[in-house]
Amino acid sequence: MSIKNNVMSIREQIYASAKKSARDPSEIKLIGVTKTVGTSQIKELLAAGITEIGENRVQDFLPKYEFFSQESEMRPREWHFIGHLQRNKVKYIIDKVDLIHSVDSIQLAEEINRRAKQAGKIVKILAEVNISGESSKFGIPPSEILKFAENLANMRAVSLCGLMCMAPFVENPEENRVFFTKMRKLNVDIQTECLYDTRMVELSMGMSNDFSIAIEEGATIIRIGTALFN
Ligand SMILES: *Cc1c(COP(=O)(O)O)cnc(C)c1O
């Protein structure tokens, strides 16, 4: 299978899941997760129309970002950081990322705020939720997410736009529906409980294995790796 064919097939599935849940397919953003591939495959992805790229490690993100800032013909439209981010590495990506999906502590949010101020920009972030409670997973426990959102109120250089999760790896993606439903409810809770101006519009959830279910439950961003490159 070529990348182009994979993109077409994923687009069809997005369309079908959106229709099934009476949603507009154009409101679902597909992020190509390129952590396992190099720049030539990223170029193929761009040529196939996927221009939003996600990386999960700073040391992989930087060389790819540099490559495409020099490449004049084709470059990603947006760069997403989706992996666990150490505080001491925030400074390397702060002026390069469009959205950080994986903010999992108040300390990390504070560092992003500090660096964003220095860079003179407002950085969009998502709060990563450990929705399944697995001990192997990063993320804020659902019971603490409201407090986390409230703590962000006085950080002027970060903008909380929604929530992100990684659901468990399961044989039958139906099993993850319950987690995606919980995510959507949490997003609404934050929107209604927090008095300050929080626009919780994004739900980054759904990967190769379970994105159809995630879309049915309200995902606005899906993060796809394996299904693009296999
Ligand atoms: C690797 C990765 C993905 C993509 O997973 P696939 O199952 O390959 O689609 C999505 N999100 C994060 C945070 C990842 O690290």
Side-chain angles (χ1 to χ4, degrees):
M1 282 290 263
S2 71
I3 289 176
K4 199 168 164 223
N5 285 338
N6 289 340
V7 169
M8 263 163 33
S9 140
I10 293 166
R11 291 256 186 243
E12 277 165 17
Q13 290 174 70
I14 292 173
Y15 190 85
S17 309
K19 286 291 157 195
K20 194 171 164 190
S21 47
R23 298 185 61 200
D24 176 356
S26 71
E27 66 184 35
I28 295 145
K29 185 180 278 191
L30 164 55
I31 299 203
V33 176
T34 52
K35 64 186 179 199
T36 59
V37 301
T39 50
S40 69
Q41 276 170 298
I42 298 178
K43 279 189 188 177
E44 268 186 71
L45 199 57
L46 295 173
I50 304 296
T51 54
E52 270 106 13
I53 298 299
E55 282 285 333
N56 70 336
R57 293 162 61 139
V58 172
Q59 61 265 44
D60 297 332
F61 177 97
L62 291 175
K64 289 174 188 174
Y65 181 91
E66 287 310 323
F67 176 87
F68 283 103
S69 55
Q70 277 147 35
E71 172 81 19
S72 58
E73 279 176 36
M74 274 189 292
R75 53 177 72 165
R77 207 157 58 85
E78 286 182 6
W79 290 90
H80 292 249
F81 195 83
I82 61 174
H84 183 62
L85 179 58
Q86 286 172 301
R87 270 179 285 168
N88 62 1
K89 294 193 176 156
V90 170
K91 57 178 177 284
Y92 300 119
I93 63 164
I94 197 74
D95 56 335
K96 302 178 178 71
V97 282
D98 294 287
L99 181 64
I100 303 176
H101 292 228
S102 42
V103 179
D104 57 6
S105 73
I106 207 70
Q107 291 82 1
L108 176 59
E110 277 166 352
E111 175 63 6
I112 293 170
N113 186 50
R114 191 168 78 86
R115 295 288 179 179
K117 249 186 228 160
Q118 284 174 2
K121 71 183 270 198
I122 292 174
V123 172
K124 289 184 180 178
I125 65 165
L126 305 178
E128 180 171 353
V129 183
N130 185 351
I131 198 68
S132 59
E134 289 168 286
S135 58
S136 60
K137 289 249 160 72
F138 290 108
I140 300 159
S143 59
E144 292 171 24
I145 199 71
L146 216 53
K147 193 161 143 272
F148 175 86
E150 281 163 5
N151 274 326
L152 290 184
N154 43 23
M155 296 186 202
R156 294 294 167 77
V158 295
S159 169
L160 181 64
C161 301
L163 302 177
M164 176 272 217
C165 78
M166 284 183 83
F169 186 81
V170 287
E171 279 295 319
N172 176 3
E174 259 315 318
E175 291 171 36
N176 282 340
R177 188 183 293 275
V178 57
F179 298 125
F180 297 140
T181 312
K182 273 191 194 165
M183 288 287 288
R184 189 182 58 215
K185 287 186 181 146
L186 280 180
N187 224 19
V188 173
D189 286 350
I190 296 171
Q191 179 86 69
T192 47
E193 301 277 331
C194 292
L195 296 174
Y196 63 97
D197 183 28
T198 314
R199 294 179 60 243
M200 303 295 286
V201 291
E202 305 292 0
L203 272 176
S204 171
M205 57 189 197
M207 315 197 330
S208 293
N209 195 40
D210 56 15
F211 70 88
S212 291
I213 307 289
I215 290 171
E216 288 175 29
E217 296 306 321
T220 61
I221 303 177
I222 58 173
R223 310 179 310 268
I224 309 289
T226 317
L228 284 170
F229 301 111
N230 267 5

